[in-house]
Structure formats: C-alpha cells, structure tokens
Amino acid sequence: AKRFWRQGLFSKVQIKVEKIAGDKAWLEIVLRQQPRISQINYIGMKKSEKDDIEMRLGLMKGNQITPNIADRAKQIIEKYYASKGFKNADVRVIQKDDLSHENEVIVDIVVNKHNKVKVHKIYIDGNEVMSDRAIKRTMKKTNENGNLLNLFKQKKFVRDDFDNDLQLIIDKYNEKGYRDAKILSDSVVNYNDKSV
C-alpha cells in the first residue's frame, strides 16, 4: 500500500482482506487514480502572460493532477510575476469536479497581481569614493520612486535587476581602480505594501 501511495498517482489506496482460509488470505486492493484535468481556465492575467505561463507549466488536458503538481504550478506562477515586479501576486490553483466526466477536474488558475512593488528609498553605507548619487545613477534598473531624475526610468523592484545593478556598482569601482571592491551586504525590506 505504501509503495502505491508513494508513487503519487493514486488518491485512494486501500487493502481489504476478503477472506482467510488456513494459511491463505484473499486480498482486494482498491486504488483510485488521481483525477485527470478536463479543462484549465486562466483567470486574472493578460493573454501574453497566459501564453508564457502555459508554456512554463506544461499542464495539459488529460494530465493527472496531484497536490505536488498544483503546488509546483503555484510556485512557478509566483516566480514569474515576481520577475515582472509583482512581488505580492496572489496565486490560487482551484480544482472543481467536472460533473460531466467521472474522476476529472476543472482547474482554475486564479491570479491577483496586486500592485507592482516599487523602490521607496535606496540607502548606501561605506561609500567614500563616489557620491551616493553617482552610485544610484550607476544602477540601471533599481531607481527610487518620486525622484524627478528617475521620471522615465523603471520604478518597480525586480530582484534579478537589483542583483545585476549590484554588479554594475562593483564594475564602476573597478573602473576607478579599486580592483578588490566588494559589497559586504545588501538587504531589501518592505516599506509598505507597495514599496521596499
């Protein structure tokens, strides 16, 4: 029973003893397969986002859906939206029995993107070579909200862009002859629901 259960392909695994005669036993093994997907609905996203997400998930009609697959889908979608600046996106994978097909489910993938997370303020510590302003200008994609100099620059916070900008700071120090410059630490802290 444990072996069947570990495979993750069955939602019900049961072994019943039908009868016992002497040293012989008749067993009935009851297995119910995990449900298959009859339909997938993507709710709360643009068509281009839906196409990107569909490709990343690889979920198709006829596939079995297990709790692991549903959790993995949720994580992939959250990561996708975080990369677009929607760090607080709420993702739900909802399964409903398909009443017209036995042991099949309709899967609704519901996304509430919320607002893009923006950069409220950038604090720099330990900089003695350039002005803090020069370092902030070196960062291409991580810009403070509300700064008139950044009027047409990206305001959303994207972790990958931030990591690239940290490398640009090191590159700038190297250009100035500081070959062993390094960033000792960095932190991103929520300022409120909409900014860090």
Side-chain angles (χ1 to χ4, degrees), residues 1 115 126 193:
N115 292 315
D193 285 346

Side-chain angles (χ1 to χ4, degrees), residues 2 6 22-23 27 33-34 39 48 52 59 62-63 65-66 74 80 91 93 107 116 125 150 153 161-162 172 185:
K2 281 181 184 173
R6 276 199 302 266
D23 61 350
L27 303 176
Q33 281 196 329
Q34 292 281 15
Q39 185 180 328
S48 60
D52 283 351
L59 281 182
N63 285 6
I65 182 127
T66 66
K74 186 176 186 301
Y80 171 80
V91 179
V93 178
V107 177
K116 284 186 176 179
D125 188 40
N150 298 332
K153 291 184 176 179
D161 290 342
F162 177 59
K172 190 73 171 175
S185 65

Side-chain angles (χ1 to χ4, degrees), residues 127-135 138 169 172-173 176:
N127 169 44
E128 293 169 7
V129 175
M130 297 177 271
S131 68
D132 287 358
R133 192 172 167 181
I135 287 183
T138 300
I169 293 170
K172 190 73 171 175
Y173 269 95
K176 292 190 171 289

Side-chain angles (χ1 to χ4, degrees), residues 35-155:
R36 294 194 177 274
I37 300 169
S38 67
Q39 185 180 328
I40 306 170
N41 301 313
Y42 295 88
I43 300 159
M45 56 190 82
K46 296 177 186 167
K47 186 185 180 323
S48 60
E49 294 170 342
K50 174 188 172 273
D51 293 345
D52 283 351
I53 287 166
E54 261 183 328
M55 197 173 69
R56 283 171 165 79
L57 293 182
L59 281 182
M60 290 164 42
K61 284 159 66 165
N63 285 6
Q64 279 187 317
I65 182 127
T66 66
N68 285 349
I69 289 170
D71 287 345
R72 186 175 161 275
K74 186 176 186 301
Q75 288 166 8
I76 288 169
I77 297 167
E78 284 171 347
K79 189 174 178 185
Y80 171 80
Y81 278 107
S83 76
K84 301 270 182 206
F86 296 97
K87 196 161 95 56
N88 296 328
D90 178 35
V91 179
R92 288 178 298 140
V93 178
I94 302 164
Q95 297 176 48
K96 303 177 291 196
D97 288 337
D98 185 339
L99 301 177
S100 59
H101 299 96
E102 191 182 345
N103 205 34
E104 291 192 9
V105 291
I106 296 167
V107 177
D108 289 342
I109 296 176
V110 184
V111 175
N112 184 345
K113 292 189 276 191
H114 297 292
N115 292 315
K116 284 186 176 179
V117 173
K118 298 185 177 180
V119 178
H120 173 71
K121 189 100 173 93
I122 299 171
Y123 297 95
I124 298 165
D125 188 40
N127 169 44
E128 293 169 7
V129 175
M130 297 177 271
S131 68
D132 287 358
R133 192 172 167 181
I135 287 183
K136 289 177 187 179
R137 273 201 315 268
T138 300
M139 300 171 85
K140 298 286 182 224
K141 300 275 185 157
T142 310
N143 300 292
E144 290 173 332
N145 194 21
N147 185 335
L148 287 176
L149 291 171
N150 298 332
L151 197 57
F152 299 107
K153 291 184 176 179
Q154 170 178 301
K155 310 295 184 314

Side-chain angles (χ1 to χ4, degrees), residues 168-195:
L168 289 177
I169 293 170
I170 295 301
D171 294 346
K172 190 73 171 175
Y173 269 95
N174 290 345
E175 251 176 58
K176 292 190 171 289
Y178 295 90
R179 291 289 183 204
D180 57 352
K182 61 174 82 155
I183 293 170
L184 296 178
S185 65
D186 68 85
S187 62
V188 179
V189 182
N190 287 349
Y191 175 72
N192 56 29
D193 285 346
K194 297 179 183 176
S195 60

